[in-house]
Amino acid sequence: MLNLIELLSFGPNGWGDEIAYGALITIQLAVVTLPVGIAIGLLVALAKDSRSQVLRGLGNLYTTVFRGLPELLTLFIVYYGGQMLLTRIADYFVPDAHIEVNQFVAGVVALGLVLGAFSSEVLLAAIRAVAKGQKEAASALGLSTWNTFRLVTFPQLWRVALPGLSNNWMVLLKDTSLVSVIAISDLMRQTSIAVGVTKQPFFFYLVACLIYLVFSGLSSVVFTRLETRASRGFKRVGGH
């Protein structure tokens, strides 16, 4: 048992620093991806709620594609496909040019596209949950469409959307493990390297499980507080 604990020590004889670094990369990737995915999701939700048939069609196409594709396949398409596309574009200006796509950026883009597709459904439902009478009242007061969204719709939709977005965050946190296949030194990749060197798969994968559970537990606490704060002053119908 002591030998196993020593494997998690920091320094040249242990894997504690590598595992900690991988955990940091994992949480950084998730935190950076979250606003990207929510921003994409909000734009898609607005498109699907618009009066334009073209925008609604594009929004529905987007969610159908990125909700239907496996996350790993999306990651490969963004990383390798993006690299090929950028190289071909650069080749028009600089012959024989070769563009290397940053793995972290590719991970953020791929996971952001997937998160945006799922978040758009949550945000669309939240937008439609805001009473039409409030929008009509804002229009009667002379507010523009943008100001109506910014001052009336946007502050209210978050209260409705937070539970769904918190679920999407939990899924995103787990999906970050996929980026290890494009050589990002996240928690899963560092754990796999440690397993390959030490031949202790059960121990290190158990440590990784515990770290993911800690992340999930802390996330639950944060989102619960956000939901409580967002619901302040809101009286539930039929509540006590």
Side-chain angles (χ1 to χ4, degrees), residues 6-225:
E6 288 176 1
L7 290 175
L8 286 179
S9 63
F10 290 81
N13 297 322
W15 290 87
D17 42 1
E18 286 85 357
I19 298 297
Y21 177 76
L24 178 62
I25 294 297
T26 290
I27 202 65
Q28 284 179 342
L29 181 63
V31 168
V32 173
T33 302
L34 182 64
V36 174
I38 290 179
I40 293 173
L42 183 58
L43 291 175
V44 174
L46 291 173
K48 294 172 73 171
D49 193 52
S50 72
R51 297 177 181 177
S52 170
Q53 188 174 355
V54 174
L55 289 177
R56 291 199 305 272
L58 290 174
N60 288 324
L61 177 63
Y62 176 88
T63 53
T64 300
V65 169
F66 287 105
R67 291 176 67 189
L69 288 177
E71 287 85 346
L72 186 59
L73 182 56
T74 301
L75 181 62
F76 284 148
I77 290 173
V78 170
Y79 182 59
Y80 295 109
Q83 198 162 268
M84 291 174 59
L85 178 63
L86 291 175
T87 297
R88 289 194 176 187
I89 293 174
D91 191 54
Y92 282 106
F93 303 97
V94 181
D96 299 323
H98 180 72
I99 304 296
E100 290 286 343
V101 175
N102 180 274
Q103 293 100 323
F104 189 91
V105 173
V108 169
V109 172
L111 295 178
L113 289 172
V114 176
L115 177 62
F118 285 94
S119 295
S120 68
E121 296 297 314
V122 175
L123 293 168
L124 178 61
I127 290 172
R128 292 177 175 174
V130 178
K132 292 183 178 180
Q134 296 191 32
K135 300 176 184 178
E136 293 171 355
S139 178
L141 290 173
L143 293 179
S144 64
T145 302
W146 164 246
N147 283 331
T148 298
F149 176 77
R150 181 172 64 90
L151 299 175
V152 178
T153 306
F154 188 76
Q156 297 184 70
L157 70 86
W158 286 114
R159 173 179 53 78
V160 181
L162 268 174
L165 293 178
S166 68
N167 290 335
N168 288 350
W169 162 259
M170 293 296 190
V171 174
L172 169 65
L173 200 56
K174 293 183 290 184
D175 283 348
T176 56
S177 62
L178 298 174
V179 301
S180 61
V181 300
I182 58 172
I184 295 181
S185 299
D186 71 317
L187 176 58
M188 202 64 209
R189 179 171 176 78
Q190 296 290 59
T191 300
S192 297
I193 294 173
V195 167
V197 173
T198 63
K199 310 302 180 185
Q200 294 289 344
F202 181 79
F203 175 71
F204 278 104
Y205 286 132
L206 178 61
V207 170
C209 286
L210 293 176
I211 293 174
Y212 278 114
L213 287 174
V214 169
F215 286 161
S216 297
L218 292 176
S219 298
S220 296
V221 172
V222 171
F223 274 99
T224 298
R225 291 187 177 182

